[in-house]
């Protein structure tokens, strides 16, 4: 070896050491994940107990949804979907062998919902299901008090109010007509219900989009927060808040703490901030900044654009991590951010993205493992076969998220056979189905 090659080899080794030092806190071992699973289980139990509920970071909210579809539901229903990227109004037709969106009458970006009249577009007074994807204390199928906003939402005067009443009042006041709201559902519940129409084994709903959350069918006898012991009820876990009481502090890295501190809800939704679309790009951005500072990326040249919040999109992770994607594509993404990357830089950026998205999928699996194991034990089964209805762009678009999630889940919950079913428009169809099931049950 010439001394020049020696120097190069030495430099590479030093960089590797620094990279591993930065990334190792994000690499979770099997026992780390088992611990997260056990903590989730513990928080679930606390959340279900009448006396202990207030101490849990996982709210375990009763939804008053007691059954998944049985196939006899019929009719046309209106579905409103608020809480995602867009606000939508749909007419959904539930027929003997299909459930279809008959028409999508209204769709606008949620950011401009305020100040617009939507009711004028709704001519028919159909039974309405309202998908509202924020934590609510439900007092009945059509009564839901908003606990707090999440995912960057922050409209004033809503927390502590019944969102169904707010909706009815707004329709009455602005458009002067009555809405026939029969059910308010969380998007996880909508997703579970819409997939449940296709697959009766679907008793879990999962969202991995802007935020993350899950719901599942729990035995009424275990739900200390609602009267009655018969049958089951769907529980909206609000698992995005898992860890808000400090129980996950041991896994947060410097980068996670930065993301949390700079968010509009510091200290809140700590689990979600490790997993969902609103945050993964930010985690990557902070790691890249640290790598520049440690002189392992971009020759340590300061990059102004990378200082900008949210400039590194979570969809970049999806592109960068595609197998066999030429590094030139990675270079192009980085060039758009004014980053003059070398070949080595782009390899490193890819490694960072992989580390962050793998951890997200594994943590999601640890949460899901706690859910399926609880359901298996609830039912006294040696082996549980269950389906999870899933929605969310991160889950659907990322090239490895779903596979990493499923593989990890299999290892963490070997006694459960879990199938994942992607929902097609679960928010819309699900809300209509909950309304349909409610109408079916109200039939004399
Ligand atoms: P919502 O959760 O608001 O209903 P989505 O399920 O569409 O909406 O999720 C939106 C989130 O998905 C955004 O936060 C964005 O970061 C993320 N996202 C968008 N495109 C992609 C992609 N190609 N790969 C991974 N994540 C993506
Ligand atoms: Mg959504």
């Amino acid at each position: 070896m010439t001394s020049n090659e020696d120097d190069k080899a030495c430099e590479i080794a030093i960089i590797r050491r620094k990279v591993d030092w930065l990334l190792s806190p994000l690499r979770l071992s099997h026992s780390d994940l088992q611990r997260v699973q056990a903590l989730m289980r513990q928080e679930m139990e606390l959340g279900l107990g009448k006396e202990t509920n207030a101490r849990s970071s996982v709210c375990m909210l009763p939804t008053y949804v007691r059954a998944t579809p049985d196939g006899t539901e019929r009719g046309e229903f209106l579905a409103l979907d608020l809480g995602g990227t867009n606000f939508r109004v749909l007419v959904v037709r539930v027929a003997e062998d299909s459930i279809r969106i008959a028409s999508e009458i209204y769709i606008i970006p949620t950011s401009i919902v305020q100040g617009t009249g939507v009711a004028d577009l709704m001519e028919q007074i159909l039974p309405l299901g309202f998908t509202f994807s924020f934590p609510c204390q439900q007092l009945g199928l059509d009564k839901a008090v908003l606990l707090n906003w999440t995912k960057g939402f922050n409209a004033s005067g809503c927390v502590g109010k019944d969102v169904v009443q707010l909706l009815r009042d707004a329709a009455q006041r602005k458009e002067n007509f009555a809405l026939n709201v029969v059910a308010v559902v969380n998007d996880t519940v909508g997703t579970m219900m819409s997939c449940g129409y296709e697959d009766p084994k679907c008793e879990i709903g999962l969202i991995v989009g802007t935020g993350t959350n899950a719901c599942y069918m729990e035995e009424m006898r275990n739900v200390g927060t609602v009267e009655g012991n018969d049958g089951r009820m769907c529980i909206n876990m609000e698992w995005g808040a898992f860890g808000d009481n400090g129980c996950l502090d041991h896994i947060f890295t410097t980068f996670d703490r930065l993301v949390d501190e700079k968010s509009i809800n510091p200290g809140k939704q700590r689990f979600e901030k490790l997993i969902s679309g609103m945050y993964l790009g930010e985690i990557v951005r902070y790691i890249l900044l640290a790598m520049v500072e440690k002189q392992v990326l971009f020759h340590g040249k300061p990059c102004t654009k990378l200082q900008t919040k949210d400039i590194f999109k979570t969809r970049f992770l999806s592109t960068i991590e595609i197998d066999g994607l030429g590094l030139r594509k990675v270079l192009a993404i980085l060039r758009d951010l004014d980053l003059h990357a070398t070949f080595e830089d782009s390899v490193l950026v890819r490694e960072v993205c992989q580390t962050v998205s793998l951890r997200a999928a594994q943590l999601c699996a640890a949460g899901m493992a706690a859910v399926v194991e609880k359901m298996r034990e609830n039912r006294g089964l040696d082996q549980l076969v269950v389906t999870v209805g899933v929605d969310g762009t991160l889950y659907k678009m990322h090239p490895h998220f779903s596979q990493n999630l499923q593989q990890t889940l299999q290892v963490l919950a070997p006694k459960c056979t879990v199938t994942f079913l992607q929902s097609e428009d679960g928010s819309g169809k699900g809300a209509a189905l909950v309304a349909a099931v409610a109408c079916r049950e109200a039939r004399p």
Side-chain angles (χ1 to χ4, degrees):
M1 251 197 224
T2 66
S3 78
N4 225 340
E5 282 171 343
D6 254 1
D7 288 354
K8 183 81 188 156
C10 187
E11 191 193 331
I12 289 173
I14 291 171
I15 289 182
R16 190 69 249 167
R17 249 206 333 266
K18 288 185 184 172
V19 168
D20 284 336
W21 183 79
L22 283 167
L23 293 183
S24 65
L26 293 114
R27 297 192 170 121
L28 300 177
S29 67
H30 179 66
S31 70
D32 290 332
L33 293 170
Q34 281 180 316
R35 180 150 174 227
V36 173
Q37 175 181 350
L39 283 166
M40 178 68 92
R41 174 64 186 261
Q42 186 183 309
E43 295 288 290
M44 289 170 74
E45 303 288 358
L46 285 178
L48 288 170
K50 194 180 168 72
E51 312 299 330
T52 51
N53 172 273
R55 273 193 281 138
S56 175
S57 61
V58 180
C59 289
M60 304 298 282
L61 301 166
T63 64
Y64 292 83
V65 170
R66 291 165 193 274
T68 47
D70 71 0
T72 66
E73 298 81 7
R74 299 282 179 276
E76 282 200 345
F77 301 88
L78 210 51
L80 256 63
D81 179 10
L82 176 69
T85 312
N86 292 305
F87 177 69
R88 307 158 61 227
V89 180
L90 317 159
V91 177
V92 180
R93 187 168 301 140
V94 182
E96 193 170 346
D97 51 3
S98 73
I99 163 162
R100 286 190 308 112
I101 307 288
S103 59
E104 173 134 11
I105 38 188
Y106 203 77
I107 174 163
I108 55 165
T110 314
S111 53
I112 59 165
V113 164
Q114 279 154 334
T116 54
V118 292
D120 53 338
L121 292 146
M122 298 185 260
E123 285 146 20
Q124 306 141 293
I125 302 290
L126 297 171
L128 185 154
F130 179 27
T131 303
F132 187 75
S133 314
F134 301 96
C136 289
Q137 186 76 57
Q138 253 177 281
L139 302 169
L141 201 53
D142 66 346
K143 199 166 165 56
V145 175
L146 177 63
L147 293 171
N148 54 269
W149 292 112
T150 56
K151 300 181 287 189
F153 278 70
N154 200 2
S156 60
C158 301
V159 171
K161 303 260 173 63
D162 173 13
V163 296
V164 176
Q165 201 53 47
L166 288 177
L167 180 68
R168 285 186 187 122
D169 289 350
Q172 192 63 256
R173 190 172 63 241
K174 294 204 173 135
E175 317 291 336
N176 197 29
F177 80 85
L179 288 175
N180 180 18
V181 184
V182 296
V184 54
V185 285
N186 187 263
D187 54 352
T188 54
V189 183
T191 299
M192 178 189 80
M193 294 293 275
S194 71
C195 290
Y197 194 82
E198 315 270 321
D199 176 354
K201 288 216 169 298
C202 183
E203 295 184 277
I204 302 174
L206 171 68
I207 303 284
V208 193
T210 304
T212 184
N213 190 14
C215 71
Y216 72 103
M217 296 304 288
E218 179 57 272
E219 312 303 313
M220 273 299 286
R221 64 181 144 81
N222 294 337
V223 185
T225 48
V226 179
E227 288 293 310
N229 284 327
D230 297 334
R232 295 182 180 141
M233 183 177 284
C234 180
I235 299 294
N236 166 16
M237 294 176 71
E238 286 298 334
W239 84 5
F242 178 35
D244 290 6
N245 57 1
C247 71
L248 288 180
D249 284 2
H250 63 285
I251 64 162
F252 296 138
T253 65
T254 326
F255 316 113
D256 301 314
R257 281 189 282 271
L258 280 166
V259 170
D260 179 50
E261 280 163 22
K262 305 293 179 197
S263 68
I264 72 156
N265 54 351
K268 300 278 191 290
Q269 301 295 104
R270 298 302 304 273
F271 191 55
E272 175 164 279
K273 284 173 182 160
L274 306 173
I275 294 176
S276 73
M278 196 162 173
Y279 308 101
L280 295 194
E282 275 295 273
I283 302 173
V284 169
R285 188 176 71 84
Y286 281 116
I287 298 172
L288 297 185
L289 283 171
M291 287 186 157
V292 175
E293 200 194 318
K294 294 271 176 251
Q295 313 269 325
V296 298
L297 256 187
F298 315 131
H299 302 296
K301 275 202 218 102
C303 356
T304 339
K305 221 169 175 178
L306 204 56
Q307 313 266 358
T308 316
K309 187 166 187 267
D310 296 326
I311 198 140
F312 201 98
K313 305 290 176 204
T314 296
R315 68 180 149 80
F316 297 166
L317 277 76
S318 292
T319 309
I320 289 171
E321 292 184 55
I322 293 173
D323 286 329
L325 179 83
L327 285 170
R328 216 181 300 166
K329 196 82 198 267
V330 184
L331 287 172
I333 289 180
L334 296 174
R335 205 176 313 116
D336 281 344
L337 295 169
D338 294 343
L339 298 170
H340 301 285
T342 61
F343 175 82
E344 285 84 4
D345 287 337
S346 54
V347 174
L348 258 188
V349 171
R350 179 180 287 177
E351 185 178 353
V352 172
C353 292
Q354 284 165 341
T355 306
V356 170
S357 72
L358 173 63
R359 184 184 66 153
Q362 289 176 330
L363 287 169
C364 191
M368 193 47 73
V371 174
V372 292
E373 267 299 298
K374 182 162 198 334
M375 291 175 83
R376 187 183 67 76
E377 288 173 27
N378 280 347
R379 297 172 190 195
L381 298 170
D382 293 330
Q383 195 73 34
L384 174 77
V385 181
V386 72
T387 299
V388 182
V390 204
D391 205 351
T393 302
L394 175 57
Y395 181 92
K396 288 178 173 173
M397 296 299 290
H398 189 279
H400 306 296
F401 190 96
S402 66
Q403 208 191 355
N404 287 334
L405 164 61
Q406 288 173 51
Q407 275 170 1
T408 310
L409 179 58
Q410 204 160 46
V411 175
L412 291 173
K415 292 179 181 167
C416 301
T417 307
V418 187
T419 306
F420 285 75
L421 189 60
Q422 287 194 22
S423 94
E424 300 270 339
D425 210 338
S427 293
K429 289 180 186 171
L433 269 172
V434 176
V437 172
C439 290
R440 181 195 84 209
E441 286 180 349
R443 273 198 309 249

